[in-house]
Amino acid sequence: MALQVELIPTGEIIRVVHPHRPCKLALGSDGVRVTMESALTARDRVGVQDFVLLENFTSEAAFIENLRRRFRENLIYTYIGPVLVSVNPYRDLQIYSRQHMERYRGVSFYEVPPHLFAVADTAYRALRTERRDQAVMISGESGAGKTEATKRLLQFYAETCPAPERGGAVRDRLLQSNPVLEAFGNAKTLRNDNSSRFGKYMDVQFDFKGAPVGGHILSYLLEKSRVVHQNHGERNFHIFYQLLEGGEEETLRRLGLERNPQSYLYLVKGQCAKVSSINDKNDWKVVRKALTVIDFTEDEVEDLLSIVASVLHLGNIHFAADEESNAQVTTENQLKYLTRLLGVEGSTLREALTHRKIIAKGEELLSPLNLEQAAYARDALAKAVYSRTFTWLVAKINRSLASKDAESPSWRSTTVLGLLDIYGFEVFQNNSFEQFCINYCNEKLQQLFIELTLKSEQEEYEAEGIAWEPVQYFNNKIICDLVEEKFKGIVSILDEECLRPGEATDLTFLEKLEDTVKHHPHFLTHKLADQRTRKSLGRGEFRLLHYAGEVTYNVTGFLDKNNDLLFRNLKETMCSSENPIMSQCFDRSELSDKKRPETVATQFKMSLLQLVEILKSKEPAYVRCIKPNDAKQPGRFDEVLIRHQVKYLGLMENLRVRRAGFAYRRKYEAFLQRYKSLCPETWPIWAGRPQDGVAVLVRHLGYKPEEYKMGRTKIFIRFPKTLFATEDALEVRRQSLATKIQATWRGFHWRQKFLRVKQSAICIQSWWRGTLGRRKAAKRKWAAQTIRRLIRGFILRHAPRCPENAFFLDHVRTSFLLNLRRQLPRNILDTSWPTPPPALREASELLRELCRKNMVWKYCRSISPEWKQQLQQKAVASEIFKGKKDNYPQSVPRLFISTRLGADEISPKVLQALGSEPIQYAVPVVKYDRKGYKPRSRQLLLTPNAVVIVEDAKVKQRIEYANLTGISVSSLSDSLFVLHVQREDNKQKGDVVLQSDHVIETLTKTALSADRVNNININQGSITFAGGPGRDGIIDFTTGSELLVTKAKNGHLAVVAPRLNSR
Ligand SMILES: Nc1ncnc2c1ncn2[C@@H]1O[C@H](COP(=O)(O)OP(=O)(O)O)[C@@H](O)[C@H]1O
Ligand SMILES: [Mg+2]
């Protein structure tokens, strides 16, 4: 099949162009390779896909321009070596489909366009093949796409990794833990509609087959102040709105809740309960379903929701001051619900909300709270309840994610892939304790990043045997130390101030800070600043010069937030809670513990140190997220904002480190594979070691010694321009190669096709020949058998019928019968008939008779009445004359005519004389006188009764048939005849001698009319006739040369008849 590709404007995605089907993304590594190469060559338009290939790598402008070019083409991912830089597109680019996952599976990192999945796959493969733990660190500011990236990574692993043998549900749990955590830990902020308000590190455990078998989540510093207060345009955590919007009527009734969020003071501070991008109702359904997936029982869900509801009710608790300015709860209803939902005593709760228990010298004292203190206590309780529930939730999820199979051998050999989605650097108008913690966290991670990047870079050089050239970079350890150093660090000072007896305030803390770290180059306060900078600093503020930039913190609330105190009696009340979740969150041991709990900052510091340890033990991968604008708009590239992020993410620093030595490095195999066509010695196949091949290749390409170095397994190229020149040469070369490959391929293709056709033709031919041959052989065999049978039959033809001769006999019979059909006599006169075989003699005779009769019958049917009459007369003539009279044969072919004289030739008088008597026949005759034998011309007429002799118009003689005794005629060829008349009557003139030219016809007709057929005498020699009364005449007949009728001397009439050949 021909691979048709189309490069879409991004230069990175190819499509198979099909005339009938809609375009489809091409899959497979071939497709991917094509795209990657096109991206390299389209660098003018889409920039470089790896920042190390930037010619001017120290220029921030060039860096940002490259980002912009790519962003414009919707290419949101770019590498800095192994680090992935991602720009939030704020739109669905359709680049996380299953097809994309497949595209990035098992392909080499640099051979495909940059993508999150490439990072995911590389980490996963290292985990599987080298069995080393991995950590993907995703950083960036709020709304830059960290959480989104984490989700995509999880999805990638869930969908592409093999399923574990047991407990396949782990994949679902891993995925479903997310919506639950997001519901409780995410909120809409000004920067991000789904901002994570806690840090998250998630471990995914894989067994030795690479199947996900479990997971573990660490959460960091939930922003619990949000529970009681939100800035304008922000919301509380999603779960509150989801419950109110999506919860069933029954549930809400049970929890004593109204659907309207405006009814709850904790939800109205930001004045934005509704957000267009969020569908709380749907999200609620998702969360409800997810809860069941992660092993929540119905009771646990109920308990959890009770807590959520109780926070809302807490928010609506109001106080009023009594006469002594002591706070009193005024909202009994809320108190009632709280009592029920939290499972605590109403009175205890009421007391706890309005009093403070102090233990002094072993004595418990209850001191009432004023209005402000009561509100503070209430909010503190709400925050504590919510944050501890969140911690419980994480622990619960962890129990669900924990491999159920911890004892199995596969568990023992698990490897771990960590995903770190932690809050990015934050700078606000007003920065408080939370920002301080968050920025400190980023500072730590940056340090780790630099350390690990440099380390890996150095390691690679060492491994490759290339001299390490030290890189100058900014080490932010100094800032980390400023924050975390024991005794002298900001955290220590804060803790000290919190624990110190006496009137410690936020401002005394600031003073202490100024005292202790005043000389630190990264620390500044109003007092320490010079004249100019002082203006930008308030008195209650301090400024830290973070690696990412300056941040000014307002100390207000630092102590309080660090202490995170919950009045003892509130704690006690909660410890007595009958809500199982609450009783787990508030442990009684906490009450008896004399030691002060760790401050928030210290806890955070410890957990960060622990996190750094965790991350250090793993092989890192980095995703650096950038937010293109603050308006959450697609397609907008806010340069100022981006420059700021590029700076504080330390991307330039990162690039500098990466580029300090070489811009490009590639394994010899990969390099040779890609560029071998540029050198005749390496093309098409290099037989030796790849390293030697590359050496030959670069020499051929004219690389100068300072442009590259050969490592143990890789070639290092110092400048991008060297690579690009090679790349351009490849592009040119490829054109000609493509033509050549095309031609070769076509030749090959068509030859293959031809060979196939030829093969087929031969096959058909031989088959057909075989068939023909077999048919012929069968025919011959049959013929031989037939002949043999016939011969044998022939030999035995006279023997009685037996199997040997049966065939022959049958054959003879059938062939006789079949032949007979063709040899039947043609007409009645044809007497031929084929000779039948002996067995058919009788049948043949019967058939012959049948045939004859049939012909006769047919003939008879076909003759007309006239012809019948003619034949009858001819038959009579034959009877009379055949073989007896010489001129008879001459008459045979001549037809008898009905009459020889027409009516007009007969005188009317004669007709008149005949009266009604019809004339049947008339013929001119010659009459010989009886005496002198004179010939006289007469007419002879036949009527039904008589022969009438007519002379012109007169009837000369009428001979009644009754008187006609006979007729005499000679046997010779003459035409004379004598009519013998009875002579009893004297009136009769005697016999009449006549001559007719049609003697046979005339006599036949006369004989028939007169019924004298048997009375015709044919005489030899002479005829005697009665000449008249008592006188006879004689006619002598002789043969001569010609007819002569004369009166002989003897008085006889001598007739010489011509001799005819027929006689
Ligand atoms: N790769 C991406 N593709 C499309 N939209 C994204 C992507 N990354 C982030 N977003 C959008 O930006 C919003 C904020 O991203 P999020 O991951 O929550 O940011 P962070 O966790 O860094 O604060 C998301 O809700 C989503 O709408
Ligand atoms: Mg997030």
Side-chain angles (χ1 to χ4, degrees):
M1 187 201 84
L3 173 74
Q4 287 184 297
V5 300
E6 181 195 295
L7 297 173
I8 67 162
T10 62
E12 290 211 14
I13 297 176
I14 59 161
R15 296 163 176 214
V16 174
V17 183
H18 200 283
H20 307 302
R21 261 186 279 139
C23 288
K24 207 175 129 200
L25 283 179
L27 295 177
S29 58
D30 286 349
V32 169
R33 202 153 293 131
V34 173
T35 58
M36 171 258 186
E37 290 171 9
S38 72
L40 257 182
T41 48
R43 59 184 176 267
D44 284 347
R45 189 160 45 82
V46 301
V48 291
Q49 60 184 24
D50 192 334
F51 282 111
V52 294
L53 296 177
L54 275 182
E55 197 58 54
N56 194 356
F57 68 94
T58 49
S59 154
E60 198 177 69
F63 189 100
I64 288 173
E65 181 53 29
N66 193 52
L67 263 189
R68 187 208 304 278
R69 278 188 195 173
R70 296 180 67 73
F71 184 70
R72 205 169 41 213
E73 300 286 345
N74 281 333
L75 304 175
I76 61 165
Y77 294 120
T78 314
Y79 292 133
I80 305 178
V83 174
L84 180 72
V85 178
S86 154
V87 185
N88 184 351
Y90 280 123
R91 69 158 74 113
D92 186 4
L93 292 181
Q94 309 277 337
I95 51 171
Y96 305 106
S97 64
R98 179 79 210 195
Q99 284 174 338
H100 280 83
M101 292 180 187
E102 291 303 331
R103 232 174 121 185
Y104 281 91
R105 271 177 74 183
V107 286
S108 174
F109 193 74
Y110 294 105
E111 301 228 322
V112 281
H115 198 290
L116 185 66
F117 291 159
V119 177
D121 186 64
T122 309
Y124 179 69
R125 268 185 299 140
L127 177 126
R128 279 208 69 182
T129 53
E130 293 162 34
R131 308 211 52 73
R132 273 198 293 183
D133 290 351
Q134 304 287 318
V136 183
M137 295 182 223
I138 305 163
S139 49
E141 77 172 58
S142 179
K146 301 179 294 294
T147 306
E148 207 62 32
T150 319
K151 285 195 263 189
R152 300 298 181 190
L153 285 172
L154 261 183
Q155 217 168 351
F156 177 85
Y157 293 126
E159 287 193 29
T160 61
C161 296
E165 276 166 13
R166 279 182 283 181
V170 155
R171 289 208 280 199
D172 286 341
R173 292 206 195 103
L174 283 171
L175 291 176
Q176 293 304 314
S177 63
N178 226 353
V180 176
L181 276 182
E182 284 195 2
F184 282 85
N186 287 24
K188 180 213 178 309
T189 67
L190 286 175
R191 314 206 160 214
N192 182 354
D193 290 348
N194 182 33
S195 178
S196 327
R197 306 316 301 161
F198 65 106
K200 183 170 105 177
Y201 172 79
M202 179 172 194
D203 264 339
V204 184
Q205 285 152 336
F206 293 88
D207 67 7
F208 68 101
K209 285 183 186 157
V213 289
H216 188 83
I217 294 169
L218 290 175
S219 70
Y220 297 96
L221 197 66
L222 179 75
E223 185 202 41
K224 58 184 171 187
S225 60
R226 183 168 297 273
V227 177
V228 298
H229 181 80
Q230 307 91 42
N231 291 329
H232 189 79
E234 300 199 347
R235 295 208 313 181
N236 208 323
F237 294 99
H238 294 322
I239 186 67
F240 296 113
Y241 306 91
Q242 290 173 359
L243 173 62
L244 294 186
E245 185 76 21
E248 290 143 28
E249 287 299 337
E250 169 59 21
T251 314
L252 292 195
R253 204 181 45 71
R254 223 174 28 245
L255 299 174
L257 294 177
E258 287 172 39
R259 215 172 264 294
N260 183 7
Q262 303 299 335
S263 316
Y264 300 97
L265 289 179
Y266 281 168
L267 303 185
V268 296
K269 303 262 168 65
Q271 295 178 344
C272 100
K274 276 255 160 258
V275 187
S276 62
S277 66
I278 301 175
N279 186 337
D280 289 313
K281 204 166 185 167
N282 270 358
D283 291 347
W284 168 255
K285 284 188 200 139
V286 175
V287 170
R288 270 309 263 118
K289 221 167 117 209
L291 281 173
T292 36
V293 175
I294 55 171
D295 295 340
F296 268 73
T297 62
E298 277 308 306
D299 285 347
E300 277 171 324
V301 174
E302 191 65 33
D303 297 338
L304 188 64
L305 295 184
S306 297
I307 294 169
V308 174
S310 66
V311 171
L312 291 180
H313 286 304
L314 255 182
N316 282 4
I317 291 269
H318 286 295
F319 303 98
D322 60 10
E323 315 79 68
E324 290 150 39
S325 299
N326 293 336
Q328 299 294 331
V329 176
T330 57
T331 40
E332 289 302 324
N333 218 12
Q334 260 70 29
L335 204 62
K336 213 171 72 213
Y337 278 127
L338 276 172
T339 317
R340 186 159 60 75
L341 292 171
L342 292 176
V344 291
E345 285 262 340
S347 54
T348 328
L349 182 62
R350 183 196 301 274
E351 191 189 81
L353 282 171
T354 48
H355 294 79
R356 181 175 179 185
K357 192 182 269 182
I358 305 163
I359 303 176
K361 295 177 188 144
E363 262 185 64
E364 283 189 0
L365 287 176
L366 262 188
S367 92
L369 301 176
N370 63 22
L371 276 186
E372 201 185 328
Q373 287 167 329
Y376 174 85
R378 175 199 65 197
D379 289 351
L381 179 64
K383 288 191 279 187
V385 165
Y386 191 84
S387 70
R388 287 181 187 218
T389 306
F390 184 76
T391 311
W392 175 87
L393 187 67
V394 172
K396 167 80 186 165
I397 290 174
N398 280 338
R399 280 196 296 280
S400 155
L401 290 182
S403 173
K404 302 280 179 287
D405 221 6
E407 291 314 308
S408 84
S410 68
W411 167 251
R412 259 175 264 135
S413 56
T414 52
T415 31
V416 170
L417 190 140
L419 298 172
L420 180 69
D421 166 17
I422 207 148
Y423 13 61
F425 199 79
E426 274 184 6
V427 193
F428 293 125
Q429 206 63 35
N430 184 18
N431 303 294
S432 179
F433 180 72
E434 289 83 0
Q435 278 69 47
F436 172 73
C437 291
I438 288 172
N439 292 344
Y440 163 53
C441 164
N442 277 277
E443 204 71 67
K444 285 297 282 182
L445 293 174
Q446 174 68 9
Q447 199 193 4
L448 181 72
F449 174 67
I450 291 174
E451 225 173 84
L452 295 180
T453 315
L454 277 175
K455 196 170 123 229
S456 74
E457 195 76 359
Q458 195 162 0
E459 272 170 5
E460 181 169 24
Y461 279 38
E462 268 163 25
E464 292 292 328
I466 289 177
W468 168 248
E469 299 160 26
V471 182
Q472 286 303 313
Y473 66 95
F474 169 67
N475 190 346
N476 67 340
K477 185 170 182 306
I478 182 168
I479 308 173
C480 294
D481 288 346
L482 170 64
V483 178
E484 69 190 6
E485 223 179 346
K486 266 197 180 150
F487 310 120
K488 287 189 289 180
I490 297 175
V491 172
S492 290
I493 296 165
L494 179 61
D495 282 357
E496 202 184 302
E497 205 56 14
C498 286
L499 304 180
R500 174 170 74 85
E503 277 301 300
T505 64
D506 293 327
L507 284 176
T508 58
F509 158 63
L510 186 61
E511 278 167 25
K512 192 84 167 275
L513 213 51
E514 277 172 338
D515 277 353
T516 323
V517 291
K518 60 181 164 214
H519 299 304
H520 199 287
H522 291 266
F523 179 80
L524 214 59
T525 61
H526 183 85
K527 207 164 97 187
L528 301 174
D530 59 28
Q531 212 61 36
R532 224 160 37 120
T533 34
R534 185 169 285 172
K535 286 198 195 100
S536 61
L537 269 167
R539 286 192 190 277
E541 292 176 339
F542 68 93
R543 181 173 293 169
L544 290 186
L545 269 72
H546 287 288
Y547 78 96
E550 299 175 347
V551 184
T552 309
Y553 300 96
N554 191 326
V555 289
T556 316
F558 262 59
L559 256 59
D560 209 22
K561 287 175 180 168
N562 190 34
N563 266 328
D564 189 28
L565 280 182
L566 187 62
F567 294 147
R568 187 180 170 84
N569 46 349
L570 277 175
K571 258 190 214 166
E572 280 172 2
T573 315
M574 293 319 293
C575 284
S576 69
S577 168
E578 278 165 18
N579 182 313
I581 297 178
M582 276 295 97
S583 62
Q584 284 172 57
C585 289
F586 290 87
D587 190 17
R588 285 203 171 271
S589 61
E590 219 178 294
L591 298 172
S592 50
D593 200 352
K594 289 282 180 294
K595 225 178 98 211
R596 265 188 82 105
E598 294 281 16
T599 62
V600 173
T602 303
Q603 272 179 36
F604 188 62
K605 188 176 102 179
M606 304 308 280
S607 63
L608 269 189
L609 290 178
Q610 193 196 355
L611 176 66
V612 167
E613 283 315 305
I614 293 173
L615 294 176
K616 263 189 183 164
S617 71
K618 299 183 171 29
E619 201 161 292
Y622 304 96
V623 180
R624 314 291 255 162
C625 299
I626 291 180
K627 182 176 168 179
N629 61 67
D630 266 334
K632 305 167 197 168
Q633 265 179 14
R636 229 178 88 183
F637 192 87
D638 183 340
E639 196 173 321
V640 178
L641 189 76
I642 288 175
R643 183 173 298 121
H644 181 64
Q645 294 172 76
V646 167
K647 190 160 169 252
Y648 79 62
L649 283 172
L651 298 184
M652 295 307 296
E653 192 80 358
N654 186 190
L655 177 56
R656 230 161 45 75
V657 170
R658 183 74 182 171
R659 268 296 302 273
F662 299 90
Y664 177 89
R665 63 206 69 180
R666 205 59 94 237
K667 288 250 185 239
Y668 288 127
E669 292 82 355
F671 189 84
L672 189 63
Q673 181 60 29
R674 183 159 173 79
Y675 299 110
K676 64 180 178 181
S677 63
L678 294 176
C679 168
E681 283 140 273
T682 52
W683 178 253
I685 291 165
W686 174 257
R689 289 192 311 153
Q691 181 168 6
D692 302 336
V694 171
V696 171
L697 178 61
V698 296
R699 221 174 303 126
H700 180 81
L701 291 173
Y703 281 19
K704 297 198 182 65
E706 67 272 17
E707 281 182 319
Y708 73 104
K709 276 228 166 72
M710 305 285 281
R712 288 206 181 89
T713 66
K714 289 180 185 170
I715 176 171
F716 290 74
I717 296 178
R718 199 175 291 277
F719 312 113
K721 65 175 191 291
T722 316
L723 179 72
F724 290 149
T726 313
E727 195 56 44
D728 292 342
L730 178 66
E731 184 58 22
V732 174
R733 173 82 176 131
R734 219 163 19 193
Q735 300 293 335
S736 69
L737 274 181
T739 324
K740 232 183 241 174
I741 292 170
Q742 231 169 32
T744 316
W745 163 250
R746 283 196 187 136
F748 173 76
H749 176 73
W750 286 109
R751 187 166 160 69
Q752 291 300 308
K753 200 163 177 178
F754 164 74
L755 288 177
R756 272 204 306 278
V757 171
K758 190 174 152 194
Q759 191 55 38
S760 312
I762 291 173
C763 185
I764 294 171
Q765 234 170 28
S766 64
W767 181 84
W768 179 240
R769 282 190 185 140
T771 306
L772 282 185
R774 275 189 294 279
R775 274 191 207 164
K776 206 165 167 180
K779 208 164 168 182
R780 280 188 184 180
K781 189 173 166 191
W782 172 82
Q785 280 172 348
T786 311
I787 292 169
R788 200 179 301 145
R789 265 201 290 178
L790 282 176
I791 292 172
R792 174 142 328 143
F794 177 77
I795 294 167
L796 297 171
R797 67 192 180 282
H798 298 305
R801 190 181 170 91
C802 62
E804 272 81 20
N805 65 7
F807 177 75
F808 177 79
L809 295 179
D810 290 347
H811 172 72
V812 170
R813 273 192 222 184
T814 44
S815 55
F816 169 75
L817 290 173
L818 288 173
N819 282 338
L820 184 59
R821 197 162 51 122
R822 289 191 290 274
Q823 294 173 4
L824 284 177
R826 299 261 170 256
N827 55 55
I828 193 75
L829 297 178
D830 183 358
T831 54
S832 67
W833 190 261
T835 321
L840 281 180
R841 246 171 239 149
E842 198 187 337
S844 166
E845 275 317 305
L846 291 171
L847 284 172
R848 188 174 189 170
E849 189 53 28
L850 265 176
C851 177
R852 205 181 57 79
K853 279 187 180 158
N854 186 36
M855 280 194 297
V856 169
W857 179 77
K858 265 198 208 156
Y859 182 77
C860 290
R861 269 180 50 133
S862 69
I863 55 178
S864 63
E866 294 81 38
W867 187 243
K868 187 173 177 183
Q869 202 186 8
Q870 173 84 226
L871 287 181
Q872 278 171 347
Q873 290 178 7
K874 282 279 183 181
V876 171
S878 160
E879 223 170 86
I880 302 168
F881 298 109
K882 190 176 174 190
K884 296 175 187 162
K885 185 160 174 63
D886 285 356
N887 56 353
Y888 168 73
Q890 286 172 335
S891 79
V892 173
R894 290 191 200 122
L895 292 179
F896 291 172
I897 290 175
S898 58
T899 180
R900 298 262 169 197
L901 288 172
D904 53 336
E905 288 171 278
I906 299 166
S907 164
K909 285 187 184 154
V910 173
L911 294 174
Q912 205 176 3
L914 290 176
S916 63
E917 232 178 328
I919 298 168
Q920 288 174 328
Y921 178 71
V923 67
V925 291
V926 176
K927 183 184 174 245
Y928 291 94
D929 284 349
R930 266 160 297 215
K931 288 166 199 161
Y933 299 123
K934 287 241 179 63
R936 314 234 185 241
S937 212
R938 294 286 185 273
Q939 291 176 332
L940 183 146
L941 312 179
L942 295 178
T943 74
N945 305 313
V947 181
V948 179
I949 311 284
V950 174
E951 180 194 351
D952 296 334
K954 200 166 99 191
V955 174
K956 280 295 279 185
Q957 190 173 358
R958 178 183 172 91
I959 307 161
E960 295 296 329
Y961 290 142
N963 295 332
L964 184 67
T965 54
I967 300 166
S968 291
V969 70
S970 84
S971 65
L972 300 180
S973 66
D974 61 277
S975 50
L976 268 80
F977 61 94
V978 179
L979 302 176
H980 299 286
V981 186
Q982 195 143 20
R983 240 185 288 157
E984 60 213 19
D985 182 1
N986 262 352
K987 276 193 271 171
Q988 289 293 339
K989 292 175 183 174
D991 297 345
V992 188
V993 179
L994 295 169
Q995 186 263 325
S996 166
D997 289 344
H998 311 283
V999 67
I1000 304 290
E1001 176 187 291
T1002 308
L1003 290 184
T1004 307
K1005 295 210 182 224
T1006 308
L1008 280 169
S1009 291
D1011 193 17
R1012 290 294 180 268
V1013 174
N1014 297 323
N1015 299 74
I1016 292 180
N1017 311 306
I1018 298 168
N1019 302 289
Q1020 314 264 337
S1022 59
I1023 299 169
T1024 308
F1025 67 94
R1031 203 168 39 94
D1032 287 343
I1034 294 172
I1035 305 168
D1036 291 329
F1037 294 94
T1038 51
T1039 52
S1041 58
E1042 61 187 66
L1043 179 71
L1044 206 63
V1045 184
T1046 48
K1047 185 175 177 185
K1049 287 179 186 123
N1050 59 4
H1052 296 180
L1053 182 63
V1055 176
V1056 180
R1059 209 173 274 121
L1060 291 178
N1061 295 338
S1062 59
R1063 207 59 189 295

